[in-house]
Amino acid sequence: MHAVCVYCASNSNVPRSHLDLADAVGAGIAARGWSLVWGGSSAAMMGSVARAARRGGATTVGVIPRGLVALEVADPDADELVVVDTMRERKRGMDERSDAFLALPGGLGTLEELFEVWTSGYLGMHAKPVVVLDPDDHYAGLFEWCRGLAAKGFVNPASLDFLTVTRTVDEALDALRPA
Ligand code: AMP
């Protein structure tokens, strides 16, 4: 079963449109017959993507550190909830269970997760798709800055190409599908 890892915001103060986006992604993953791997929280966008995936019939696998079970409201309805000791184990647990990675709008945690799979991908340590779904330019400033780093010689332009940036849910899912 094709497993897609979704990174997204855990903060509930994000705009409603982003919760709807997470919902549409969860529904889309289910409609394609895939499973969801995520950070195991039932809050905010993280909760929306998981609930929508399950509503559509997808299996959901959450990976969450013990210390965040209460803070991030670990999802009691996850088909599998893997409780680990550290953030590093969380990322490894998510990586190992996933065939492709999708970042939705998020904060520092989402950035941290995205950068790890992006950098390990362009260094050839994995060949799984890494996709960003950015319908409203949440990440525009970041990517502009990264292009500036390439122009100044700090970043190989091919590293930027390893990431697929999309505007719609369907484009993102197409970019995530099995080769
Ligand atoms: P945020 O984008 O800041 O709302 O965070 C999204 C998710 O990333 C939350 O579940 C955070 O706990 C998680 N997160 C934050 N830092 C890390 C990290 N170093 N490794 C793995 N997950 C993290």
Side-chain angles (χ1 to χ4, degrees), residues 89-176:
E89 286 174 36
R90 179 195 231 176
K91 278 184 297 186
R92 187 169 62 225
M94 292 166 84
D95 289 3
E96 285 172 354
R97 288 170 173 80
S98 303
D99 302 302
F101 302 93
L102 174 64
L104 307 183
L108 296 179
T110 304
L111 287 175
E112 207 274 343
E113 293 167 315
L114 170 62
F115 270 87
E116 175 154 337
V117 285
W118 182 9
T119 52
S120 54
Y122 75 64
L123 290 170
M125 304 186 86
H126 72 80
K128 301 173 184 177
V130 182
V131 178
V132 174
L133 173 53
D134 190 16
D136 63 356
D137 288 335
H138 178 78
Y139 289 109
L142 174 69
F143 294 138
E144 175 73 30
W145 189 66
C146 290
R147 280 191 291 274
L149 290 182
K152 284 192 270 189
F154 285 95
V155 170
N156 182 334
S159 306
L160 301 182
D161 295 341
F162 187 84
L163 195 68
T164 304
V165 182
T166 59
R167 301 291 280 190
T168 69
V169 174
D170 274 342
E171 272 171 28
L173 295 174
D174 285 349
L176 291 162

Side-chain angles (χ1 to χ4, degrees), residues 40-83:
S41 167
S42 64
M45 292 175 73
M46 294 176 72
S48 294
V49 69
R51 281 189 295 275
R54 282 194 296 271
R55 260 199 317 275
T59 298
T60 58
V61 181
V63 186
I64 191 164
R66 203 172 310 281
L68 292 181
V69 163
L71 187 71
E72 294 195 348
V73 197
D75 192 334
D77 297 322
D79 294 283
E80 189 186 351
L81 190 68
V82 183
V83 180

